[in-house]
Amino acid sequence: MHKKGINYIFIGLLILCTSCFEIIEEVSFNKDGSGHVTLTMNLSKSKTKLNSMLLLDSVNNYKVPSKQEIRQRIAQAVEKVKRIQGISNVKNSIDFGEYIFTVSCDFTDVDALNTVISNFSTKKDAAMIKKQKHFSFDTAKNTFTRNYHYDISAAFKKTNMEDRKVFETATMTTIYRFETPIVSSQNTTAKIAGSKKAIMLRVNAQDIIKNKNSIKNQIKLQN
């Protein structure tokens, strides 16, 4: 794990886990496209093993990041997020008791939100996010789109069999909330709340890797 960046810190932590972990993306949108986002990485089901692993220098040829290093990387990322135009109320939490890490903020539009996401990515992926946009919100058509460009399958094939175990029970959960009712969702796996103003999608990492499912979606809202 010789490359620097918050994403590599967490990749290292994930590789050390053989239990379940979950990435949660929660976004609440206002009618004008502004809103609030909370990003969570939950490694709590692997906390016992992580406590042991953090006492070591390396595991499976991966350098084990120290708690101080993890704090520093998160702090650096948070400071970058605070400087993004259109971003405010930036907060983060680090819980080494349960190994749950969160970052949250308010955004004025989805362009600012896309920039936030790019700060947790490699330079190559950040450029791709800027070009393809993970999030788009057409206020004229009342349509929200969640895009996704990562080719996890290609990266997965480059890992060894031992490292692949981390993804066996891993999940990605997206939760989107709106002020107006949801009319339709292109991703049929997503579940619309009874209020029609929220939608949740939980996808197994293995299904994303094998292209059996995706977090991509287009959500039409009531006019």
Side-chain angles (χ1 to χ4, degrees):
M1 199 173 65
H2 60 285
K3 298 181 180 179
K4 294 182 179 180
I6 188 169
N7 55 311
Y8 290 102
I9 290 292
F10 285 123
I11 287 172
L13 282 175
L14 296 182
I15 292 300
L16 300 182
C17 300
T18 55
S19 304
C20 172
F21 73 86
E22 182 176 24
I23 296 173
I24 306 169
E25 175 183 282
E26 296 182 73
V27 189
S28 297
F29 287 99
N30 301 317
K31 291 181 180 179
D32 62 358
S34 64
H36 181 82
V37 60
T38 300
L39 305 174
T40 302
M41 178 169 286
N42 186 342
L43 305 170
S44 60
K45 291 187 178 181
S46 299
K47 62 182 180 181
T48 300
K49 183 172 183 178
L50 284 170
N51 281 328
S52 298
M53 292 298 186
L54 285 174
L55 299 175
L56 305 176
D57 292 327
S58 64
V59 176
N60 295 339
N61 295 319
Y62 288 92
K63 180 183 179 297
V64 178
S66 66
K67 290 182 179 180
Q68 181 180 359
E69 187 177 11
I70 294 170
R71 290 184 186 279
Q72 288 175 343
R73 294 302 183 190
I74 292 176
Q76 290 171 5
V78 168
E79 285 305 310
K80 288 183 179 180
V81 170
K82 287 180 178 179
R83 293 195 293 269
I84 298 172
Q85 185 174 355
I87 294 298
S88 61
N89 194 29
V90 182
K91 298 178 181 179
N92 77 285
S93 64
I94 302 173
D95 182 352
F96 279 115
E98 295 296 322
Y99 286 94
I100 299 175
F101 308 89
T102 67
V103 176
S104 66
C105 64
D106 295 330
F107 55 89
T108 56
D109 53 43
V110 288
D111 285 336
L113 177 56
N114 283 318
T115 304
V116 170
I117 300 299
S118 70
N119 272 275
F120 296 90
S121 307
T122 63
K123 288 185 177 180
K124 179 181 178 181
D125 287 331
M128 189 64 71
I129 291 172
K130 185 176 181 179
K131 179 181 179 181
Q132 295 192 1
K133 296 186 178 181
H134 273 189
F135 303 90
S136 60
F137 198 112
D138 189 329
T139 54
K141 296 181 179 179
N142 275 353
T143 302
F144 165 70
T145 303
R146 176 56 159 103
N147 201 357
Y148 184 81
H149 72 272
Y150 295 119
D151 186 0
I152 296 182
S153 179
F156 186 74
K157 291 177 181 178
K158 296 178 181 179
T159 62
N160 59 50
M161 295 302 295
E162 187 66 24
D163 291 344
R164 294 181 187 184
K165 291 180 181 179
V166 69
F167 297 102
E168 290 178 355
T169 55
T171 59
M172 169 77 178
T173 300
T174 62
I175 302 170
Y176 305 126
R177 302 180 180 91
F178 306 93
E179 290 187 335
T180 53
I182 297 168
V183 175
S184 63
S185 166
Q186 282 191 353
N187 191 320
T188 57
T189 309
K191 297 180 179 180
I192 300 174
S195 65
K196 303 294 184 182
K197 293 185 178 181
I199 185 168
M200 183 185 79
L201 174 65
R202 179 176 285 115
V203 183
N204 292 327
Q206 287 283 3
D207 288 343
I208 297 177
I209 293 168
K210 297 176 182 178
N211 294 316
K212 290 183 177 180
N213 203 344
S214 172
I215 62 171
K216 288 183 179 180
N217 202 1
Q218 187 174 88
I219 300 166
K220 173 66 177 174
L221 304 175
Q222 184 176 298
N223 292 324

